[in-house]
Amino acid sequence: MDGLRGLTADDPQWIGDYRLIGRLGSGGMGRVHLARSEGGRTVAVKLVKAELAAEEEFRDRFRAEVEAARRVGGRWTAPVLDADTEAAVPWVATGYIAGPTLSEVVGSAYGSAGSYGPLPEYALRRLAYGLSCALLDIHGVGLVHRDLKPSNVLLTIDGPRVIDFGIARALDAVGDQTQTRTGMVVGSPSFMSPEQVQGHRVGPASDVFCVGSVLAYAATGRAPFGSVASGVHAVMFKIAQEEPELADVPAGLRELIADCLAKDPAARPGPEEIAARLGPVPSGSAATPWLPAELIARLGQHAVRLLDTDTPPGGQPPTLTTTRVPTGPAPAPGATTEPRRRPRWLPLLATAVVAAAATAGAVSLLGGGGAEDSASEIPARFVGTWSGPVLRDGAPTGQQRRFVITNGKVGEVVANSTSLGATYECRSDGTLVSLTAHDGRPALRLDTKVVRSIPAGRCAALGEHILEAGSAGTLKWAAAGRTATLHRAGPAEERVPAGYLGTWQRPDADGHGSRRMTIKQAPAGSTVLTTVVVGPGLRCTAHADLYAAVDGKLTVGPPVADPAAPGCAPGGTSILRLNDDGTLHREFLGDDKQPRTYSRAE
């Protein structure tokens, strides 16, 4: 909120269903605005630069990255709530986090006025734990952040939050062209990994290196390989060739940070190891706040300003007086909007937040969560990825149902579901209708809309869906006479094991054609399999999405043929697994033909 500026004549009043309040900043991707939904939720809306939107390669990558980012759950990141990747100028809306950036708090390397300076060791441990947990969530859906830096880490009363995951990869799609045209660099030089500065392949270990740099900065107020003020190329050379400067890092964290900053990606600890090596970390509570009292007070001031900030008609700078709630379409240019009186609880809550921030012992008034948590109506126990087999009247149907549930409020899309059968795949968006109690347990009631059907026209929304908290950490799903017990999906189910990656081939039985399959890494719900069938007078290319990787097997949905390849025979859901002899076994559900065996292509 410290960087909030008023709207200008160039800013729209609305983006999608979100009414803009002010500008939060700008960067390589475009502008970032503070906005509110019609239901009153505060969000950050990122509007892509027009020149990037004109690049079809960027738009394709951006579309895929936003879809993957929607599936990132957990409390350590800013949830992706909404997006329009097909708009003339694409945009994405994320939950707004009412807290300063780490760069604003530490400040010395960025010249921030009123900064606190380096964090004490107990706060650094909590920061390291939160960043490692955020990486688990991000990497768990197949994303790599690629631009983890102090300005992408926000500090809240109950821990750090990571923002902007996945966007840098979309920028890479046009990086070579756009860098010359706009001077944009993907990544921040002082917080890049050796792989990035040398132009090598960037994987999850690159984010671990960046965590090491961020922690060193938080501990000392300086980037471990120097500031770009000494020259970008000098900093990049140090990152690639020299050791970091860690003399002022607390001794209890120096070894861990040094290991994160290993030049060899394979030598760096994984996020799980980072969390384990930190040992017991205070969770952040009224009894054990994770930040010094001065910073707790600042976070409270952020929350107060967020509650009481609005933009008057005409795009003037934000004031701290009246909150207007949109009740219909955006007003015409020059039109005025009648202010609505703020609810009585708003100034009372603001007063409570100030009191909570004044002493660390009153942090519990915020319920132990950041501002975006208090705005959510979805219990944390529901958030995440869930899957299980579908029953009808108690009998197995052979179908699978998968839900990805995110934070949100009534009237917002909070769930994406996939129904997978032997010959079809259906995807739906679920809008939260109500959060009701049933048999003493919370339940989500969703109104669903089909957003993808394979084959076209096959899928139906099934009316209202109900999700209830089950026993032993499960969810119970019911819709149109169908039920399922859903279990939380682990990170391993969200990505393709390394042994499957590459190109596989086999000849057709008649010897006159061939089939080639290429398997790539991508998160569940994205295309991982491309099949090319070549025969006399035929060349058919089709693509299939990953449903899950469970028990050493890949389940991929029905293939979708390229429109330019007429005559391709439709296929169904298939199961792939590696054989002991190094070949690949593929069988189709509901198909009585013999399984197909593929060998690695030379």
Side-chain angles (χ1 to χ4, degrees):
M1 293 292 292
D2 288 349
L4 182 64
R5 299 185 298 276
L7 299 175
T8 70
D10 296 331
D11 291 314
Q13 291 185 346
W14 294 74
I15 296 178
D17 293 329
Y18 301 94
R19 177 173 171 270
L20 302 191
I21 297 173
R23 276 197 186 194
L24 289 169
S26 61
M29 189 184 87
R31 301 194 304 272
V32 185
H33 294 91
L34 187 70
R36 285 202 179 101
S37 69
E38 291 186 299
R41 182 169 188 170
T42 305
V43 302
V45 180
K46 303 177 185 186
L47 194 63
V48 171
K49 286 183 176 179
E51 58 265 33
L52 288 176
E55 297 282 357
E56 192 58 37
E57 190 174 0
F58 168 83
R59 190 182 284 268
D60 289 344
R61 183 70 66 83
F62 182 66
R63 186 182 297 117
E65 293 303 312
V66 167
E67 180 62 29
R70 283 180 184 267
R71 294 193 292 274
V72 178
R75 57 171 296 189
W76 304 101
T77 59
V80 173
L81 305 174
D82 198 359
D84 189 347
T85 58
E86 312 307 318
V89 180
W91 56 268
V92 58
T94 65
Y96 177 73
I97 297 175
T101 66
L102 181 62
S103 57
E104 289 174 331
V105 168
V106 176
S108 61
Y110 289 78
S112 301
S115 61
Y116 176 85
L119 299 180
E121 183 172 351
Y122 67 87
L124 292 171
R125 288 183 170 274
R126 176 66 172 172
L127 175 64
Y129 180 79
L131 294 180
S132 63
C133 291
L135 290 190
L136 284 172
D137 292 334
I138 295 167
H139 296 168
V141 298
L143 285 174
V144 177
H145 193 295
R146 304 169 76 91
D147 194 19
L148 190 58
K149 57 187 177 182
S151 59
N152 279 337
V153 177
L154 303 183
L155 305 186
T156 73
I157 287 177
D158 66 338
R161 306 296 170 92
V162 172
I163 62 174
D164 279 358
F165 41 86
I167 301 304
R169 185 179 174 197
L171 292 173
D172 269 353
V174 292
D176 292 341
Q177 302 166 2
T178 310
Q179 183 171 353
T180 301
R181 184 167 60 248
T182 68
M184 180 190 70
V185 176
V186 177
S188 303
S190 293
F191 295 93
M192 284 182 172
S193 67
E195 304 93 275
Q196 288 176 295
V197 302
Q198 294 173 327
H200 296 161
R201 181 181 179 86
V202 173
S206 176
D207 286 344
V208 172
F209 188 95
C210 297
V211 163
S213 294
V214 168
L215 292 175
Y217 168 79
T220 66
R222 302 183 305 276
F225 298 97
S227 167
V228 292
S230 61
V232 172
H233 293 292
V235 171
M236 290 184 172
F237 176 82
K238 291 179 180 179
I239 289 173
Q241 302 294 335
E242 298 185 1
E243 294 303 310
E245 177 52 59
L246 302 178
D248 293 335
V249 172
L253 289 171
R254 195 176 301 145
E255 182 180 358
L256 175 60
I257 293 176
D259 290 347
C260 291
L261 294 174
K263 305 298 184 189
D264 180 4
R268 298 169 200 155
E272 305 96 329
E273 183 181 344
I274 295 174
R277 287 174 60 176
L278 288 167
V281 176
S283 60
S285 66
T288 57
W290 80 284
L291 291 172
E294 178 183 338
L295 290 182
I296 295 290
R298 184 174 174 184
L299 298 183
Q301 292 165 2
H302 269 284
V304 171
R305 295 187 64 195
L306 173 65
L307 288 169
D308 215 19
T309 298
D310 194 28
T311 304
Q316 299 301 316
T319 63
L320 302 178
T321 53
T322 304
T323 297
R324 296 178 181 84
V325 180
T327 56
T336 60
T337 304
E338 183 67 23
R340 177 177 293 181
R341 186 176 300 275
R342 290 178 297 170
R344 292 185 59 188
W345 58 263
L346 193 56
L348 293 175
L349 179 57
T351 302
V353 173
V354 173
T359 61
V363 173
S364 60
L365 287 175
L366 293 181
E372 79 287 356
D373 290 329
S374 63
S376 173
E377 293 188 2
I378 303 294
R381 123 112 178 84
F382 283 82
V383 174
T385 302
W386 306 81
S387 64
V390 176
L391 307 178
R392 186 165 191 170
D393 297 327
T397 63
Q399 304 164 0
Q400 295 286 323
R401 173 68 65 163
R402 176 188 182 90
F403 276 89
V404 180
I405 303 173
T406 59
N407 290 314
K409 298 173 60 178
V410 170
E412 297 178 344
V413 173
V414 298
N416 308 110
S417 71
T418 301
S419 176
L420 187 71
T423 59
Y424 67 87
E425 180 180 1
C426 305
R427 296 189 191 176
S428 303
D429 282 348
T431 300
L432 183 62
V433 175
S434 66
L435 179 61
T436 61
H438 180 70
D439 294 337
R441 296 173 177 170
L444 309 184
R445 294 181 179 272
L446 306 175
D447 181 26
T448 58
K449 175 184 178 182
V450 174
V451 295
R452 190 182 188 195
S453 176
I454 305 173
R458 167 64 176 77
C459 303
L462 302 182
E464 184 180 69
H465 292 234
I466 299 176
L467 289 162
E468 296 179 290
S471 59
T474 63
L475 293 184
K476 292 185 176 181
W477 166 77
R482 298 165 176 83
T483 60
T485 298
L486 307 177
H487 295 266
R488 189 179 291 276
E493 296 182 37
E494 299 290 306
R495 57 189 290 108
V496 178
Y500 286 85
L501 303 178
T503 300
W504 306 79
Q505 65 182 6
R506 74 175 182 87
D508 276 350
D510 57 12
H512 297 298
S514 65
R515 296 173 182 263
R516 292 173 66 92
M517 294 192 309
T518 299
I519 303 174
K520 67 177 184 179
Q521 189 60 265
S526 302
T527 298
V528 298
L529 176 63
T530 298
T531 304
V532 179
V533 180
V534 178
L538 172 68
R539 182 180 179 87
C540 181
T541 302
H543 309 277
D545 294 350
L546 175 65
Y547 180 79
V550 181
D551 298 330
K553 299 183 293 184
L554 295 186
T555 301
V556 296
V560 177
D562 286 344
C568 293
T573 297
S574 60
I575 307 293
L576 295 88
R577 68 171 182 267
L578 295 173
N579 295 322
D580 292 339
D581 61 0
T583 59
L584 183 67
H585 171 104
R586 185 183 191 186
E587 60 182 290
F588 290 87
L589 298 182
D591 189 342
D592 57 3
K593 295 180 181 179
Q594 291 293 324
R596 287 76 164 170
T597 300
Y598 290 76
S599 301
R600 283 203 176 272
E602 298 179 356

